[in-house]
Amino acid sequence: MEAVLRLFVPDAYVPSIYAVNAEALVRKGLLGVVTDLDNTLVAWNEPEAPDKLVHWLDDLRDRGLKVCIVSNNKEVRVRPFAEQLNIPAVHEAGKPRMRAFMKALEITGTHPRQTAMIGDQLFTDIAGGNRMGMYTILVVPISDKEWVGTRVMRLFERRVLRFIAPSLHRISEGEHRG
């Protein structure tokens, strides 16, 4: 059981993407960032990117990090959002399946060990990133407003979070799993 739970333990747990420092990622040797969209970058189905997000993404790119959005949402949602930011994206990803993560790595031209996966869900973003061997960062969801299927999964996610909470506490103090 413990081995299965490790699949859901992120390398870092932060309050929002804005706590993810581009320079720190570069110091870790990372070259790419794969990020979820809804409730990670913006609230669920929010069509516009706030200036703060644009500046954060610019900082990543200015430091040489390649960025790609990977979302389980539909093309009609993902493509216009990604285009306004001039970022490549994979829609209807089917996370945590590996196919979309591999496509994102191909787009960024990075190896899994050189890439961070940032997302708000343990069962899709973190599990998928961990399966790939990526550096995983869990963020607190931006909003309670979500697709109904996600709301159901959050019930199970909360149970898992209780089991892995001691690991998350250590991570928040700067320790990382090895």
Side-chain angles (χ1 to χ4, degrees), residues 42-170:
V42 293
W44 182 67
N45 276 343
E46 173 62 43
E48 299 296 320
D51 288 343
K52 187 175 183 178
L53 174 60
V54 173
H55 295 305
W56 181 79
L57 289 166
D58 285 345
D59 188 41
L60 293 179
R61 291 185 284 210
D62 288 348
R63 296 188 190 275
L65 292 160
K66 306 292 184 193
V67 181
C68 182
I69 295 171
V70 175
S71 174
N72 284 349
N73 212 329
K74 302 221 181 283
E75 181 178 13
V76 68
R77 160 68 176 137
V78 178
R79 182 184 297 254
F81 190 88
E83 285 176 350
Q84 72 177 294
L85 296 169
N86 197 29
I87 294 176
V90 178
H91 56 83
E92 298 177 68
K95 293 180 290 182
R97 287 181 286 185
M98 297 170 91
R99 177 189 47 114
F101 291 100
M102 289 188 287
K103 186 171 182 180
L105 292 170
E106 182 181 312
I107 289 168
T108 59
T110 59
H111 184 273
R113 295 266 179 237
Q114 302 171 316
T115 310
M117 173 62 213
I118 304 172
D120 68 300
Q121 293 186 61
L122 290 177
F123 297 147
T124 57
D125 306 313
I126 302 308
N130 282 342
R131 286 180 63 212
M132 291 293 298
M134 300 166 102
Y135 181 81
T136 54
I137 303 171
L138 179 65
V139 300
V140 174
I142 292 172
S143 170
D144 290 337
K145 183 179 171 192
E146 302 184 287
W147 177 64
V148 67
T150 303
R151 279 185 269 157
V152 170
M153 292 308 292
R154 293 276 188 211
L155 299 173
F156 298 106
E157 189 175 87
R158 279 192 281 278
R159 288 181 168 204
V160 172
L161 278 169
R162 273 186 263 153
F163 282 106
I164 67 173
S167 298
L168 294 177
H169 180 70
R170 286 193 300 275

Side-chain angles (χ1 to χ4, degrees), residues 31-52:
L31 303 173
V33 172
V34 174
T35 180
D36 179 46
L37 172 56
D38 292 310
N39 274 333
T40 297
L41 297 180
V42 293
W44 182 67
N45 276 343
E46 173 62 43
E48 299 296 320
D51 288 343
K52 187 175 183 178

